[in-house]
Amino acid sequence: MSLSRHRKGSATYPLDTGADAKPQRGASGIVSCIRQLVLRLLSAQAIARKPVRIHLRKQFGAQVAASDWAGAVASGGALLDQLPPLRGWDYATRRVVEAFLAAPPDPGAGQAAAYVLRHTGLRYLDAVTHSGGLPPEETGILADLLLRERPSDLRLLRLSIALGNEARDADAQRLTEALESGAAPDRCVALARAARAVRGGNVASAHALLDSWERDSANREWPIDDITLIGMILAGACSHPSLETLARRVATFPTATARLHALLVELRCSGDEARKLTSALHSAGADPLAVLDALLAFGPPLDRATAMKAIGLIEADRSALRASRIHSLAQSLLDRAVPDHETTADFCRRHVAVLCATASGATLHGRAMHLVQDWEAALLAWDTRLSFIPAEEQPLANAYLAAASLGQSERAELYRSRMTSWKQATAPTLLALVRGACLLGDVDFGREVLDRLLKQGGFSNTRRQIVRFRALLNGDAAMERESPPNLQALAAPAVLVIDPGFSLAAGHHFTYNQFAIRFFAEEMAIEADRIWICAGRKGLDGSFREAAPLSSSLHRVFGFDPYSYKEFPAVPSFLRNLNAVWQNDLATGLGAADLSTVRLIYCHSMKANMVVGFANWIAARFRLQNVLVVIGVIEVDHMAKSASVRDACDGFYREAVDVLRGTPGVTVIVYAETGAACKHLRGVFGDALPVHNIPYLAAALAGPAAAAHVPFSRDKITIGLVGGSRRERGLDLFPGLIMALSYRSDIRWILQLDRAVAERMNALFPLYLDWAVSQGICQWHDGRMEDEAYYDALRRMDIVLMPYGDRYAVSGSGVFYEAAQLQRYLIVPKKTFMSEVLVEWGYPCSVMEDTSLQGISKCLYDVLGKRTDLAQDMSKLRERGTNVLPLDRFRTLLASEMKVLTNDAC
């Protein structure tokens, strides 16, 4: 399979294959890869049933060192075809294929493409297509190239099946015909025809052909070779009875198991086909670890159940290969992104000693910690990696990012100072550097790195990140290349609801927009299609179109996402740039629309990175038009941050109000949901503008309290919480509470919590909740709830338990106001806005001093001990009414300002 000479044009030259062959420029990365693979190959001899052909490895390494890419392609293909096939050789061979295709010998890319396909099959078809050697849209080109290279009968068989599985039916048919017309063994021809029958859905024909093939194989006692394994794959694809027999034969040879999974990849088989064969091997008594080794090396993406089973198998393994398997599984979990980032990170944490014993393992651990933003652990992992190879650019960049994420600017600068050639680094390295610079607020270095990244080009896979950094550092309005919808043919709007952050069918954005449509349609006596919900393009899908309250009003017009910048510090230059980008996006997204009939503009979720851009757009577009602008400042996290952050954000709010108040024809209403937020904003605006305290208006959607029972009026007491699955809402306390109080027959629970989030909090939490559900103790809602189910869950609760964190000292809560609207009994923490509001209302409640598991349990015991008295209190509340939502005041305020505008217009 090796090439002793490499033809280039009409000249030939001998290869330097000596041990001291010096790598040419561009080969060092591949040589490093080969060095790492040597140990893997040698260790594999312990698994293999026959000696590994080490001379191929030596030949491959020498060809790479001499930059003989053609020879290395041939040797790499041979390495991939031997038993046991090793995953690392696939990576190394891909590198040499790409190098060969980048500068193909004469006569051109077509011949190079044919050469690659001849020696490697279809493994690198994507690289061949990308190189221009194979136009993907032209039927027949691929078959011509392959047949011109005169492949062996076995390779013809493999190629014909692979092309058929890729839906290149014409090419597959031509290769099958070439196999039939030649002198190919009957075994190959029978399998090629069976594969064609399977693709065509002709199961009976496929079974007949496999019957003939099976009898022929049994009579001659063929060895377990590629043809036997391909027969097993086809038997699995059409559920042929021979699958069980073949699985028993293959199960006795670990190397054959590995080769089987390698063929599954090469033949482009589906994940279902791979799982069916794996199941057959397990049933046949194959060593589970041997099957797992093959699955990790060559199998399809792991589903959650398979990944969790693999974790269990490897953690129970006590063989000498355990460390290697830990590496392989960590690699698979990271590359295939299953089952979820937190589970992957937990696996890596448990085996940090094994992983960080090698440079490659430390890299895996660092990647896993990055995914879950465990920056301290990530920094330790990258330091470990750098202890092996101190001057590697990518680990240095990752360490810089981790230090920046921890706010350790001096340490980050040390890593940066060691990067002597970062300007020649690849895109992933530059992305880590620019993100770290932005986290540190180092605008100058961030711009320098971004400029270098933009000059490189070809960043289609990281486009969203590039857009984000261009906006943050340069105020560049180049958003995603997607044209805004045509709004000219729609009914002219009377109300604009500006909400670029609306991207999920849940949460306060969704409910606020529902409220806005119902409320403004009723108050202004207009049709819903004249109320435009102007939302972002990101994340929205057909589920919104199916929601009747939004169907005629929702318009995806914005590329700007205000929430995608929350990890970066609120420094004035960043805020200025983001406001400029947002202003441009407003002007572009709504530029062609006729807005001359707009009377009211509502932004219920204003942020500091939007407010000045919003105000400048209003001033430019609606000057002298007589419009009412209503701004809800419900995103108030900056008020609890450092003085520098508060001052920066406050400055932008103050500037925006000055712009709006100075625009003729524009009237402004500003409100916040909590007393603390109102007090802060009044200090910012002074006498320039009143700030109204208007709680969560969308709670009106919950309906009247009379629709629910009076709390404590039934034998069994239902306790619960619904809403978003965020840790700051105290959801991590509920599984333990449910278990601790499970002995009480008078308590039932309702809880909304995503299973994946519960598992990240504690691997036992889903087990607790599953058990509670099985015992009839708890109703567990995993994932998003439809509106009616959500409100019904609240109505069925007696107690809404809200062990919220300190963030809610200034931030509002929709669930709190919805529960109050429905007159549920509330248990709330003292250090939040909720306790003050309930006392002010004279609302029956309990206030917790201690939100630990023990503190909440004690509070619940006290409440349940006086349930008779509390039932009377809640009945009295029902009689007198609550009216905790100032809808009438909001309605009156709007009507008054709209009347002033109308009079001014007259």
Side-chain angles (χ1 to χ4, degrees), residues 656-683:
V657 165
D658 290 342
V659 170
L660 291 171
R661 291 184 68 250
T663 303
V666 172
T667 301
V668 185
I669 294 175
V670 174
Y671 73 85
E673 290 189 343
T674 66
C678 289
K679 180 180 179 180
H680 181 88
L681 290 172
R682 287 165 187 156

Short mmCIF file of all heavy atoms in Angstrom, two decimals, residues 656-683:
data_model
loop_
_atom_site.label_atom_id
_atom_site.label_comp_id
_atom_site.label_asym_id
_atom_site.label_seq_id
_atom_site.Cartn_x
_atom_site.Cartn_y
_atom_site.Cartn_z
N ALA A 656 -31.09 58.71 28.53
CA ALA A 656 -32.25 58.34 27.72
C ALA A 656 -33.47 59.18 28.08
O ALA A 656 -34.21 59.65 27.20
CB ALA A 656 -32.55 56.86 27.89
N VAL A 657 -33.71 59.37 29.37
CA VAL A 657 -34.85 60.17 29.80
C VAL A 657 -34.71 61.61 29.32
O VAL A 657 -35.68 62.24 28.87
CB VAL A 657 -35.01 60.10 31.33
CG1 VAL A 657 -35.95 61.19 31.84
CG2 VAL A 657 -35.52 58.73 31.74
N ASP A 658 -33.49 62.15 29.37
CA ASP A 658 -33.27 63.51 28.88
C ASP A 658 -33.58 63.61 27.39
O ASP A 658 -34.19 64.59 26.94
CB ASP A 658 -31.81 63.93 29.13
CG ASP A 658 -31.51 64.15 30.61
OD1 ASP A 658 -32.49 64.32 31.38
OD2 ASP A 658 -30.32 64.14 30.99
N VAL A 659 -33.20 62.59 26.61
CA VAL A 659 -33.48 62.59 25.17
C VAL A 659 -34.99 62.56 24.94
O VAL A 659 -35.53 63.32 24.12
CB VAL A 659 -32.79 61.39 24.48
CG1 VAL A 659 -33.28 61.24 23.04
CG2 VAL A 659 -31.28 61.56 24.50
N LEU A 660 -35.68 61.66 25.62
CA LEU A 660 -37.12 61.52 25.40
C LEU A 660 -37.89 62.76 25.85
O LEU A 660 -38.80 63.23 25.15
CB LEU A 660 -37.63 60.28 26.14
CG LEU A 660 -37.16 58.93 25.59
CD1 LEU A 660 -37.56 57.80 26.53
CD2 LEU A 660 -37.73 58.68 24.20
N ARG A 661 -37.53 63.31 27.00
CA ARG A 661 -38.23 64.50 27.48
C ARG A 661 -37.95 65.71 26.59
O ARG A 661 -38.76 66.65 26.55
CB ARG A 661 -37.82 64.82 28.92
CG ARG A 661 -38.32 63.79 29.93
CD ARG A 661 -38.00 64.18 31.36
NE ARG A 661 -38.77 65.34 31.77
CZ ARG A 661 -38.25 66.56 31.98
NH1 ARG A 661 -36.96 66.77 31.79
NH2 ARG A 661 -39.01 67.57 32.37
N GLY A 662 -36.84 65.70 25.88
CA GLY A 662 -36.51 66.80 25.00
C GLY A 662 -37.03 66.64 23.59
O GLY A 662 -36.74 67.46 22.71
N THR A 663 -37.79 65.56 23.33
CA THR A 663 -38.33 65.32 22.00
C THR A 663 -39.78 65.80 21.91
O THR A 663 -40.64 65.28 22.60
CB THR A 663 -38.28 63.81 21.66
OG1 THR A 663 -36.93 63.34 21.78
CG2 THR A 663 -38.77 63.56 20.24
N PRO A 664 -40.07 66.79 21.09
CA PRO A 664 -41.44 67.30 20.98
C PRO A 664 -42.41 66.21 20.52
O PRO A 664 -42.10 65.41 19.63
CB PRO A 664 -41.32 68.40 19.91
CG PRO A 664 -39.88 68.78 19.91
CD PRO A 664 -39.12 67.53 20.24
N GLY A 665 -43.56 66.15 21.17
CA GLY A 665 -44.58 65.18 20.79
C GLY A 665 -44.48 63.86 21.51
O GLY A 665 -45.33 63.00 21.33
N VAL A 666 -43.46 63.67 22.33
CA VAL A 666 -43.25 62.41 23.03
C VAL A 666 -43.52 62.59 24.52
O VAL A 666 -42.97 63.49 25.15
CB VAL A 666 -41.82 61.88 22.82
CG1 VAL A 666 -41.56 60.65 23.70
CG2 VAL A 666 -41.59 61.52 21.37
N THR A 667 -44.40 61.75 25.07
CA THR A 667 -44.67 61.71 26.50
C THR A 667 -44.17 60.39 27.05
O THR A 667 -44.32 59.34 26.41
CB THR A 667 -46.18 61.85 26.77
OG1 THR A 667 -46.63 63.09 26.22
CG2 THR A 667 -46.48 61.81 28.26
N VAL A 668 -43.58 60.42 28.25
CA VAL A 668 -42.91 59.25 28.80
C VAL A 668 -43.53 58.84 30.13
O VAL A 668 -43.78 59.71 30.99
CB VAL A 668 -41.40 59.51 29.00
CG1 VAL A 668 -40.70 58.23 29.45
CG2 VAL A 668 -40.77 60.05 27.74
N ILE A 669 -43.77 57.55 30.28
CA ILE A 669 -44.12 56.94 31.57
C ILE A 669 -43.06 55.89 31.89
O ILE A 669 -42.76 55.04 31.06
CB ILE A 669 -45.51 56.27 31.53
CG1 ILE A 669 -46.61 57.30 31.32
CG2 ILE A 669 -45.77 55.48 32.80
CD1 ILE A 669 -47.99 56.69 31.16
N VAL A 670 -42.49 55.96 33.08
CA VAL A 670 -41.51 54.96 33.53
C VAL A 670 -42.06 54.31 34.79
O VAL A 670 -42.55 55.00 35.69
CB VAL A 670 -40.15 55.60 33.83
CG1 VAL A 670 -39.19 54.58 34.43
CG2 VAL A 670 -39.54 56.18 32.55
N TYR A 671 -41.97 52.98 34.85
CA TYR A 671 -42.39 52.29 36.06
C TYR A 671 -41.41 51.15 36.38
O TYR A 671 -40.65 50.70 35.52
CB TYR A 671 -43.81 51.73 35.92
CG TYR A 671 -43.98 50.53 35.02
CD1 TYR A 671 -43.77 49.25 35.49
CD2 TYR A 671 -44.36 50.69 33.68
CE1 TYR A 671 -43.94 48.14 34.67
CE2 TYR A 671 -44.54 49.59 32.86
CZ TYR A 671 -44.33 48.31 33.35
OH TYR A 671 -44.49 47.23 32.54
N ALA A 672 -41.42 50.75 37.65
CA ALA A 672 -40.66 49.58 38.10
C ALA A 672 -41.59 48.74 38.97
O ALA A 672 -42.64 49.21 39.42
CB ALA A 672 -39.42 50.00 38.87
N GLU A 673 -41.19 47.49 39.23
CA GLU A 673 -42.09 46.56 39.92
C GLU A 673 -41.93 46.56 41.43
O GLU A 673 -42.83 46.11 42.14
CB GLU A 673 -41.88 45.14 39.40
CG GLU A 673 -42.35 44.95 37.97
CD GLU A 673 -42.33 43.48 37.56
OE1 GLU A 673 -41.65 42.69 38.24
OE2 GLU A 673 -42.99 43.14 36.58
N THR A 674 -40.81 47.00 41.95
CA THR A 674 -40.57 46.93 43.39
C THR A 674 -40.30 48.31 43.95
O THR A 674 -39.82 49.22 43.24
CB THR A 674 -39.38 46.01 43.71
OG1 THR A 674 -38.17 46.60 43.19
CG2 THR A 674 -39.57 44.63 43.11
N GLY A 675 -40.57 48.47 45.25
CA GLY A 675 -40.32 49.74 45.91
C GLY A 675 -38.86 50.12 45.89
O GLY A 675 -38.51 51.29 45.72
N ALA A 676 -37.96 49.12 46.07
CA ALA A 676 -36.53 49.41 46.07
C ALA A 676 -36.08 49.94 44.71
O ALA A 676 -35.27 50.88 44.62
CB ALA A 676 -35.75 48.14 46.43
N ALA A 677 -36.58 49.34 43.64
CA ALA A 677 -36.21 49.80 42.29
C ALA A 677 -36.74 51.20 42.03
O ALA A 677 -36.04 52.04 41.45
CB ALA A 677 -36.73 48.82 41.25
N CYS A 678 -37.98 51.47 42.46
CA CYS A 678 -38.54 52.81 42.26
C CYS A 678 -37.74 53.85 43.01
O CYS A 678 -37.44 54.94 42.48
CB CYS A 678 -40.00 52.84 42.73
SG CYS A 678 -41.12 51.92 41.66
N LYS A 679 -37.37 53.54 44.24
CA LYS A 679 -36.59 54.49 45.04
C LYS A 679 -35.26 54.79 44.37
O LYS A 679 -34.82 55.95 44.32
CB LYS A 679 -36.37 53.90 46.44
CG LYS A 679 -35.58 54.80 47.37
CD LYS A 679 -35.41 54.13 48.74
CE LYS A 679 -34.59 55.02 49.66
NZ LYS A 679 -34.40 54.39 51.00
N HIS A 680 -34.61 53.74 43.84
CA HIS A 680 -33.32 53.95 43.18
C HIS A 680 -33.47 54.83 41.94
O HIS A 680 -32.70 55.77 41.74
CB HIS A 680 -32.72 52.60 42.81
CG HIS A 680 -31.39 52.69 42.14
ND1 HIS A 680 -30.21 52.72 42.84
CD2 HIS A 680 -31.05 52.80 40.82
CE1 HIS A 680 -29.20 52.83 41.99
NE2 HIS A 680 -29.69 52.87 40.76
N LEU A 681 -34.46 54.53 41.11
CA LEU A 681 -34.64 55.29 39.86
C LEU A 681 -35.06 56.72 40.13
O LEU A 681 -34.69 57.63 39.37
CB LEU A 681 -35.66 54.58 38.98
CG LEU A 681 -35.19 53.26 38.36
CD1 LEU A 681 -36.34 52.56 37.66
CD2 LEU A 681 -34.04 53.48 37.39
N ARG A 682 -35.83 56.95 41.18
CA ARG A 682 -36.18 58.33 41.52
C ARG A 682 -34.94 59.13 41.89
O ARG A 682 -34.85 60.32 41.59
CB ARG A 682 -37.19 58.33 42.66
CG ARG A 682 -38.59 57.90 42.23
CD ARG A 682 -39.48 57.56 43.41
NE ARG A 682 -40.75 56.98 42.97
CZ ARG A 682 -41.51 56.20 43.72
NH1 ARG A 682 -41.13 55.89 44.97
NH2 ARG A 682 -42.64 55.71 43.23
N GLY A 683 -33.99 58.46 42.53
CA GLY A 683 -32.73 59.12 42.82
C GLY A 683 -31.93 59.42 41.57
O GLY A 683 -31.18 60.40 41.51
#
